Structures are given as structure tokens and as C-alpha cells.
Amino acid sequence: MPLPWKLHGDGKKVGAHEIVLPGERLTWPRTIGLGAQHVVAMFGATFLVPLLTGFPPSTTLLFSGVGTILFLLITRNKLPSYLGSSFAFIVPIVAATKAHGMPSALFGIVVTGILLAIVGLIVVATGTRWIDALMPPVVAGAIVALIGFNLAPAAKNNFMQAPVTALVTLAAVILCTVLFRGMLGRLSIFLGVAVGYVFACIVGEVDFAKVAAAPWIGLPQFTLPANPFTAPASTWGILPAFLPVVLVLIAENVGHIRGVAQLTDPSVNRLTGRALFADGLATTVAGFFGGSGTTTYGENIGVMAATRVYSTAAYWVAGVVAVLLGLSPKIGAVINTIPAGVLGGVTTALYGLIGIIGVKIWLDNKVDFSRPVNQFTAATALIIGIGDFTLNLGQLTFNGIALGAIAAIVVYHVMNSIARVRRTA
């Protein structure tokens, strides 16, 4: 059976004004190299999620690779994307795990994935206009921003456990961003963790005992989600914390698709429904076996922009490599040795960047903050999210992210509707 990619030119060079399209590829040695580059790009952020949530790193890596392969199959090799661990899941996972254990958090991930897949099917049938109407830029930006800023206390807690190591890591992340050009500059998070890790080793903050005992090859740890019929208190009660994540995943996927379409082919936008369904399915599969939820990765968009190679063949390589890494318990053990100080340093920057991405959504879409509707939508949602307001209704607990996301949608649409009727907009 012939492979679906045709060779771009001679397969060796990409002209200054050329782009290697999703259905094209370079020579296989070059394609494999590009795939490895995508693995490096996703690795820094993807392995942080299991570290911060207590999930097994090998399991998370395995299902990020499986999810990427599913995504490529469902989008018919027409949409280049890597599905890495989503930071939007961190807060609800940590809260659910702390209250009821890992199976409870996995149930939340599975439900989130199912809902996202359903949204994808609806978009396939109806298009994306209703998403744009439900979540205009001011709402989408507020939801993304409050998730990042809500994580600030977690970053502080890790930072204060080893402030010197954390400061070295944070400084390395910041300096690598401006010291290096191209690919290295885009890997500042990964390089910062590497520098911080080396420093932590020097000062004796890293324990390698479990690394030596771990085998090179083996299956990762699999964990099933909690059963909602036998454990209703630890399943249905945690769902409100996960529901806003669906909105964030929609925004991330749509943004990714539009970015790729702008640089390759506008027809890629027609794959929005399939992409949402694919990410939902990948998240469901990951959650069902003990992995974290997935999302399309901006880091890999950066790699494509730098190389001008949008070939899905490179993502097949990346997906396969991630699966192989997930089948090495020793690699997972190495990831688990990263100490709190390093995590504190990198997350101080990373969580802030998530918040700033929300601000960037406002800027890119030229949100008019002279309008009271936009002012109150953003202001109310951010304070609720950053302050981590909490509401308990029986067995259901709504945390700051859930309440902030609800507030952003409700405040915007209520104020906007009244303003139109009263002509005060």
C-alpha cells in the first residue's frame, strides 16, 4: 500500500518562500529528524503535567502518542498536530485526586473527553458559528487567562520548597528565550528545566534510587476511572471542576486549526469538527487507562512555523516515538526525579504564560475594553478564578475555574442582551 505523502521537490530543500504541505514530505531521514524535533518540542510541557498532578509520566507519554496517531487518522492526515498533555486539567485533577484519589480524577477526564467528542460531532453537522457566538474573544480569553492565574499558589508552594533552585530554573527559562534563536529559543521551557535539574543534582536535591531499579522496557502503570454507579460522591461531585476544561479545549483546538489554515490552506478549517472529535476521543482513551487529557500543542505549531514543514508524516514519527518512550519505565522514573524547586521555577513562568495567552486572545481579536460589557465580563471572571471562589451544592463543588468560566459566559450574554434591548451598548 503506497504511503499518502508525495515528495516535496527533491525532498531535501525548502525554498525561502515555500511550505511543505500536510500531504507532502521531505526525504525519510529528514522527516524522521523533524519528527524527533516535534518530540523534543512537546516533551517539556507534556511531562510537567504528570509531575504536577501525580500521574505516571510513562502512561501520560504513551497516551499522548496514541492520541496523536488517533488524531491523524480521524483528520485523514490533513491536519498536522501533536496532542500533548493539557494544562487546563491540572487544577481539577489535583483537586479531585486530593479529595477522592486518582480514579476520581480519571472519571472527570473521561467525561470531559466524551463531551468534547460530542461537541466535535455537532460541529461536523452544524459548523462553528455557534461556538463563536457562545464564546466570543472576550469570554474565551477570560477563561484561558483565569486557568493560568488560578495556578499561582501551586507555583509558589513548589518555589518556596527550594527557592535557590527555583530561581536558577526560572532565570534559565527567561534567558534561554532571548539568548537563542529559532528552535532552541522555542524550547526555553525544556532547556530551563534541564539547567535547573543539573543544578539540583549538584546541590544534592535529586534521588536516583528508583531510576536504577526501573527496567528499560515495560508497560506503564494503568489505572481505571472510578465507577459513577458504585462511587457517586467521588465522581459526580467533581464534574463541575472539569466542565470548563471543555470550553478551553474547544478554544485551543479552534485556534490551532485557524493558525494552520492561515499558513497552509483555508480548507483546513473544514476539519474543525473532526479535530474536536479526535481530541475528545484521545482524551477519553487516555483517561480510561490512567493518562492525562490532551490538547493540540502550540509548541509544535512553533516548530512548523520555524521549519515551514507542515507534513503530517513528521507527526506520525513523533507519535510513534512518544509511544516508545511511554513503554520505558526508566524514562518515567527519570522524569519523576525532578525536584520541587525545578517545578516551582518553571511553573512560575509557565502558569503565567497560560494567563497571558488569554490576554493575547483579547489583543489578537482587538477586544474593545471601553465597552462595559467586556470590562465586567473579564473583570468578574478573573477575580473569581484568581481568588478561587468556591460554591458547594450538595455533593457538587464548583471551584474558581468552574465559577469563573460560568461567570464569563453568563455576564457577557446577559449584559449584552440587556444592552441591546435598552440600546445602552
Side-chain angles (χ1 to χ4, degrees):
M1 179 179 177
L3 295 175
W5 304 279
K6 66 178 182 179
L7 203 63
H8 177 86
D10 63 0
K12 299 178 181 179
K13 297 178 182 178
V14 181
H17 302 290
E18 295 178 348
I19 286 178
V20 179
L21 296 173
E24 299 177 328
R25 66 170 177 85
L26 299 179
T27 60
W28 281 112
R30 288 171 174 79
T31 297
I32 291 171
L34 287 165
Q37 193 170 227
H38 280 302
V39 171
V40 174
M42 70 81 184
F43 198 81
T46 290
F47 80 72
L48 279 178
V49 173
L51 280 176
L52 298 170
T53 59
F55 275 30
S58 295
T59 312
T60 298
L61 282 172
L62 173 68
F63 284 104
S64 76
V66 170
T68 298
I69 292 171
L70 282 174
F71 187 93
L72 294 170
L73 288 171
I74 292 170
T75 58
R76 299 175 178 175
N77 272 330
K78 295 179 180 179
L79 183 58
S81 180
Y82 189 89
L83 294 190
S85 302
S86 172
F87 278 84
F89 282 98
I90 292 175
V91 172
I93 285 176
V94 171
T97 302
K98 184 177 180 180
H100 304 290
M102 183 177 171
S104 175
L106 292 174
F107 176 76
I109 294 172
V110 168
V111 172
T112 301
I114 292 172
L115 291 175
L116 183 61
I118 292 172
V119 171
L121 293 175
I122 294 173
V123 170
V124 169
T126 65
T128 61
R129 288 187 178 181
W130 66 274
I131 293 178
D132 298 331
L134 177 68
M135 289 197 305
V138 65
V139 173
I143 293 173
V144 174
L146 67 85
I147 285 179
F149 296 142
N150 179 271
L151 291 165
K156 178 188 176 183
N157 290 339
N158 279 324
F159 197 104
M160 298 311 296
Q161 290 187 46
V164 176
T165 300
L167 189 60
V168 168
T169 304
L170 178 59
V173 171
I174 293 170
L175 292 175
C176 286
T177 303
V178 292
L179 283 173
F180 301 114
R181 296 186 178 91
M183 183 63 186
L184 286 178
R186 296 181 186 279
L187 296 178
S188 58
I189 296 290
F190 182 79
L191 294 175
V193 169
V195 171
Y197 187 77
V198 170
F199 181 83
C201 290
I202 293 172
V203 298
E205 295 177 356
V206 180
D207 182 7
F208 290 103
K210 292 184 179 180
V211 176
W216 279 103
I217 299 174
L219 290 174
Q221 174 186 336
F222 295 125
T223 305
L224 295 177
N227 188 327
F229 300 106
T230 59
S234 63
T235 50
W236 303 115
I238 56 92
L239 283 186
F242 283 87
L243 296 182
V245 177
V246 178
L247 302 177
V248 176
L249 295 179
I250 292 171
E252 288 178 338
N253 276 276
V254 172
H256 171 86
I257 295 162
R258 288 176 178 172
V260 173
Q262 185 176 0
L263 292 171
T264 57
D265 183 356
S267 66
V268 169
N269 284 313
R270 299 172 188 168
L271 297 170
T272 300
R274 284 179 168 269
L276 291 170
F277 175 77
D279 191 9
L281 180 61
T283 294
T284 302
V285 172
F288 197 83
F289 291 102
S292 186
T294 61
T295 188
T296 51
Y297 254 34
E299 291 88 340
N300 297 91
I301 294 178
V303 172
M304 291 190 291
T307 61
R308 302 190 305 283
V309 178
Y310 290 77
S311 171
T312 54
Y315 281 98
W316 274 94
V317 173
V320 170
V321 170
V323 169
L324 295 176
L325 290 175
L327 294 174
S328 176
K330 192 172 288 291
I331 290 175
V334 170
I335 294 172
N336 269 328
T337 63
I338 298 176
V342 175
L343 295 177
V346 71
T347 53
T348 296
L350 200 59
Y351 294 163
L353 285 176
I354 296 172
I356 295 302
I357 288 172
V359 176
K360 186 175 183 296
I361 291 174
W362 294 335
L363 295 174
D364 289 347
N365 291 277
K366 299 179 181 178
V367 174
D368 182 4
F369 278 107
S370 68
R371 292 188 65 211
V373 171
N374 292 337
Q375 291 173 1
F376 280 98
T377 297
T380 305
L382 285 178
I383 291 300
I384 291 174
I386 295 170
D388 200 21
F389 289 24
T390 303
L391 176 65
N392 295 309
L393 297 175
Q395 293 183 344
L396 298 179
T397 298
F398 295 82
N399 68 357
I401 291 179
L403 293 175
I406 294 169
I409 295 172
V410 172
V411 169
Y412 175 83
H413 288 289
V414 170
M415 287 188 70
N416 208 39
S417 297
I418 295 174
R420 285 179 178 176
V421 173
R422 298 289 297 167
R423 298 181 181 179
T424 56

